Amino acid sequence: MKLSAARVGTWIGRQATATPLRATIVRYVLSLGFVAALFAIIPYTPLDGPVGGVLALSSVVVCCWFSGVGPALLMPLTVWFASHFRFDAPLPPAIPSAKELMTFFGLSMLTGAMGLAGQYRRRLRAATRAHDARMREQAHALSAARIVFCDVEGRITTWTEGAQQLYGWSNDEAAGRVIHELLRTEFPAPIEAIRAELLRTRQWRGEVKQLRKDGRPLNVAIHCILYRGEDDTLEGVAEVHNDVTELRQAEAAIRASDRRKDLFVATLAHELRNPLAPLRSGLDLLRMTRADPSDDDILEIMQRQLEHMVRMVDDLLDVSRINTGKVKLRPAPVLLADVVRDAIATCRPQIDEFQHQLLISIPDEDVWLEADAARLVQVLMNLLSNAAKFTDPGGEIRLSATCDGRQVALSVRDTGAGIPAESLPHIFDIFAQVEDPHFRSRGGLGLGLNIVRTLVEMHGGTVEARSDGPGRGAEFIVRLAVLAGHVPGGIEPRPDHSTQNGTPATRRVLVVDDNCDAARTLTIMLSRGGFECRSVFDGPSALAAAEEFDPHAVVLDLGMPGMSGLEVARRFRANARNRDLVLIALTGWDKEDDRRLSREAGFDHHFAKPVPFDVLRDLLDSIGAKSPADAATPLRRETSRL
């Protein structure tokens, strides 16, 4: 195998750049071995003498310079051994002479200093190279950033490559141009106000709209920093530009998707409510006309299942509205006992269905809350319904309330399935359900508890879930602030218009709905309830029928093709003879905007399909027959929601 200088150099370089220990060993062996061999060979060459001494000493100095402090300190000893322990030289004396000691000491000082200087120089060069590398990286990053330097008048002095790529203008093209004129900037505030804030605080942050050279619009987040000279004079402004166009487009896409989702949910709720309305009317009609008492059981089953469908539709719509902030509370003083009574009355059929024992414990004294009564009833109703659903038949549900004068704590506790510890932190999340077949068999969409938490937090309260584990029941605690110092006012009795001059007044009701089944079943029910009814199926027919029939009230669907219910209501109100006509919206559209539009169109009441017959009958019973006396006191218009 041939050895060459190139191969030897390659091997040495590879070893020197290997692991730190191997590199150190190679450095010691090469430097000390070279010096030892040099001093051992020179006496046998023509260089033996002063020339050889100078050459050997120079080699020692060079080796010390490149090898480092360690080999340099060992170098004098290596020279001494290489000079005295030759095969043809006599053994050195046991005790070195003073001259040899001085020479050894002087050589040690020289080699140590050279090794230290060489090592310091290498470390300094390594640090310099690392610093240069960092500076190059920072310079590259700085050039890639979108940074613009302007003078105090807003003229561009220079900008980085990143800014050039962002806007499409080269540095030469942009230099000297006023930046907001070049980029046709749209500021979120007057430019004078922005400059005033920049001078006052020495910086400004904001988002602007700008145009590239090719005309493409950009959304850019800007951070302006005002810098001054040594004499505190204004020198210019450094602006950091970040392109947020894609972020804003993504946000717009999310908002559009959210709007489409809301529209889908609203349409779904409307389409589900439309068939539920005739089902409920037909069921109420069957209950009114049943001949065999044995039919009560099947009617109760049908009623419960229909109520379950209605609750699911309402939850589906509510969770969409609540979580997008579209539900506005209507807070007013409300008695805790009234909230508890209404919630229990709503959930009593479900509790009785499972033969649960309901234990109630609330304070004897009046506890007033500043709350939206309907929404608070919904909170308690969802908790009671949840307890009834997840408790085996014959279980116990305990509803209790405690008040310390500042806060009331409502607790709903059951002896049911319980909640696993790992599910407790997420039990209020939307669509959250326990991952267990035993729990999933209970049904539900996983919306009720999310609605509870959101409504409670909108009231400024908190809700907490507790459970000792599966099979050990669960407890939900709602805490709300008490309305202190409230003195209830008197309640005016509602006038009874159901009779006139001591005899029952016949009320004429016009039912308008493009869903023929819904209109006919409601007409039949109202007729059986003692009202004189007529049904039509479109807007123009409603206007014509009103002229002939002269109704006291119109039950009107909103989403009819052709002439909508809103337009029909406006035309009714435009006619002076209809100023006392009671307009009742009965529709599948039940968002806040829908109720606002119905109110603006002139409706007195707004109900979501399907409306319980008892509610509609009580409302119509409160309307008196047309008379001059009634005309003097028109019915106050309000919007109602079930």
Side-chain angles (χ1 to χ4, degrees):
M1 179 179 180
K2 293 184 178 180
L3 293 178
S4 63
R7 288 184 176 180
V8 173
T10 301
W11 181 86
I12 293 175
R14 188 183 301 117
Q15 299 304 313
T17 56
T19 61
L21 178 61
R22 184 185 298 179
T24 301
I25 294 174
V26 169
R27 183 160 48 86
Y28 272 76
V29 171
L30 288 179
S31 59
L32 296 179
F34 174 76
V35 171
L38 183 65
F39 273 81
I41 293 173
I42 282 180
Y44 302 101
T45 65
L47 297 177
D48 188 20
V51 177
V54 172
L55 177 62
L57 183 60
S58 301
S59 301
V60 169
V61 171
V62 172
C63 287
C64 292
W65 176 266
F66 286 104
S67 61
V69 176
L73 293 177
L74 294 177
M75 198 67 70
L77 188 62
T78 302
V79 171
W80 187 80
F81 271 96
S83 302
H84 290 83
F85 288 90
R86 296 198 304 270
F87 65 90
D88 60 341
L91 292 176
I95 299 176
S97 64
K99 180 179 179 181
E100 289 180 335
L101 289 176
M102 291 296 294
T103 302
F104 183 83
F105 180 74
L107 185 60
S108 298
M109 294 291 291
L110 176 63
T111 57
M114 292 303 297
L116 184 62
Q119 183 167 313
Y120 177 76
R121 177 178 176 275
R122 284 191 298 276
R123 290 183 177 178
L124 182 62
R125 290 185 64 184
T128 302
R129 286 194 297 269
H131 178 266
D132 291 344
R134 286 195 299 270
M135 292 300 294
R136 285 193 298 271
E137 292 176 358
Q138 293 175 5
H140 178 70
L142 190 63
S143 65
R146 290 78 178 261
I147 302 177
V148 183
F149 296 94
C150 302
D151 60 18
V152 293
E153 300 298 328
R155 288 186 293 269
I156 300 172
T157 56
T158 185
W159 60 9
T160 61
E161 293 181 6
Q164 297 178 45
Q165 294 175 2
L166 176 62
Y167 295 114
W169 300 87
S170 68
N171 195 33
D172 294 337
E173 293 173 325
R177 305 275 299 271
V178 178
I179 183 169
H180 64 267
E181 294 178 355
L182 175 67
L183 303 178
R184 287 169 281 182
T185 305
E186 296 181 17
F187 291 98
I191 190 170
E192 294 78 11
I194 294 175
R195 285 177 176 171
E197 181 179 348
L198 183 60
L199 291 173
R200 185 179 67 255
T201 63
R202 303 189 67 171
Q203 63 177 345
W204 178 81
R205 294 176 183 267
E207 186 172 318
V208 300
K209 294 183 178 180
Q210 296 175 327
L211 293 181
R212 281 175 46 90
K213 183 179 180 180
D214 57 11
R216 182 163 61 89
L218 297 174
N219 291 83
V220 181
I222 297 180
H223 184 194
C224 300
I225 302 173
L226 187 69
Y227 59 92
R228 298 176 181 267
E230 295 182 357
D231 56 352
D232 203 37
T233 58
L234 296 178
E235 290 194 354
V237 179
E239 300 183 2
V240 181
H241 292 208
N242 290 316
D243 183 10
V244 295
T245 305
E246 292 185 359
L247 176 62
R248 296 295 173 258
Q249 291 174 347
E251 291 175 349
I254 292 174
R255 287 192 295 269
S257 175
D258 193 56
R259 286 193 297 270
R260 288 194 296 270
K261 179 203 68 176
D262 290 343
L263 179 60
F264 169 76
V265 171
T267 305
L268 178 64
H270 173 263
E271 295 302 325
L272 289 175
R273 281 176 172 145
N274 273 337
L276 289 177
L279 286 176
R280 167 165 265 169
S281 299
L283 182 59
D284 289 338
L285 184 60
L286 288 175
R287 296 171 68 91
M288 293 170 57
T289 60
R290 69 186 184 281
D292 189 351
S294 62
D295 294 339
D296 288 348
D297 290 341
I298 189 64
L299 291 176
E300 287 294 335
I301 293 173
M302 294 170 65
Q303 181 72 25
R304 283 196 301 268
Q305 296 303 317
L306 184 62
E307 294 292 343
H308 181 58
M309 281 291 297
V310 172
R311 280 197 300 270
M312 284 198 299
V313 171
D314 287 342
D315 284 350
L316 187 64
L317 190 58
D318 276 344
V319 75
S320 176
R321 291 203 307 255
I322 291 173
N323 288 318
T324 54
K326 295 180 180 178
V327 168
K328 305 299 181 184
L329 298 182
R330 297 181 177 88
V334 58
L335 269 175
L336 174 64
D338 292 342
V339 173
V340 172
R341 183 193 64 236
D342 292 346
I344 291 175
T346 304
C347 294
R348 175 63 72 178
Q350 185 181 11
I351 294 172
D352 292 343
E353 176 188 358
F354 291 100
Q355 300 176 351
H356 295 319
Q357 182 181 9
L358 178 62
L359 305 177
I360 305 170
S361 174
I362 62 174
D364 294 331
E365 64 275 9
D366 288 345
V367 179
W368 289 91
L369 305 171
E370 182 76 14
D372 186 323
R375 292 299 181 181
L376 209 52
V377 169
Q378 184 179 5
V379 167
L380 195 53
M381 184 181 69
N382 281 3
L383 293 179
L384 288 171
S385 176
N386 205 62
K389 181 168 59 175
F390 287 97
T391 301
D392 290 333
E396 179 181 289
I397 300 174
R398 185 180 296 272
L399 170 60
S400 61
T402 58
C403 181
D404 61 5
R406 294 181 303 174
Q407 191 180 63
V408 63
L410 272 168
S411 170
V412 176
R413 187 170 185 175
D414 61 62
T415 58
I419 305 172
E422 62 272 14
S423 298
L424 273 175
H426 312 288
I427 198 65
F428 292 103
D429 294 347
I430 187 170
F431 302 122
Q433 292 186 342
V434 177
E435 295 294 336
D436 189 299
H438 177 66
F439 290 88
R440 287 192 174 275
S441 63
R442 310 295 178 113
L445 300 176
L447 302 176
L449 292 180
N450 179 262
I451 294 174
V452 166
R453 181 181 65 179
T454 307
L455 289 177
V456 170
E457 290 177 350
M458 290 175 67
H459 281 86
T462 60
V463 61
E464 174 188 3
R466 298 177 180 175
S467 178
D468 293 330
R472 306 187 66 178
E475 181 181 14
F476 292 87
I477 303 174
V478 175
R479 294 181 174 87
L480 296 168
V482 172
L483 180 60
H486 175 70
V487 179
I491 301 175
E492 297 181 0
R494 185 173 64 182
D496 184 8
H497 296 295
S498 60
T499 62
Q500 183 178 354
N501 299 326
T503 60
T506 303
R507 286 161 296 281
R508 294 182 296 277
V509 181
L510 178 63
V511 178
V512 186
D513 197 328
D514 63 311
N515 186 331
C516 299
D517 291 339
R520 286 169 178 156
T521 52
L522 183 58
T523 299
I524 295 172
M525 271 203 327
L526 292 175
S527 299
R528 297 284 178 88
F531 301 98
E532 183 180 351
C533 293
R534 183 176 296 182
S535 59
V536 294
F537 312 116
D538 57 65
S541 300
L543 296 174
E547 292 291 331
E548 175 190 351
F549 186 52
D550 192 23
H552 299 87
V554 178
V555 180
L556 184 58
D557 183 30
L558 295 185
M560 296 186 297
M563 185 182 297
S564 70
L566 297 175
E567 180 61 26
V568 174
R570 293 189 191 98
R571 298 200 182 188
F572 274 135
R573 292 306 179 198
N575 191 336
R577 64 171 292 185
N578 294 324
R579 69 185 186 92
D580 297 323
L581 179 65
V582 178
L583 297 181
I584 303 170
L586 183 58
T587 176
W589 300 104
D590 194 37
K591 296 194 300 183
E592 292 291 335
D593 289 343
D594 300 324
R595 293 195 291 276
R596 177 182 57 80
L597 291 174
S598 69
R599 188 165 53 246
E600 293 174 354
F603 280 96
D604 299 283
H605 303 273
H606 184 116
F607 292 113
K609 293 179 180 179
V611 62
F613 177 67
D614 292 343
V615 173
L616 186 58
R617 181 186 59 198
D618 291 344
L619 174 60
L620 294 173
D621 280 340
S622 69
I623 302 171
K626 291 186 177 181
S627 68
D630 293 332
T633 56
L635 182 67
R636 179 175 64 89
R637 294 179 185 167
E638 61 185 4
T639 297
S640 304
R641 179 181 185 271
L642 292 180

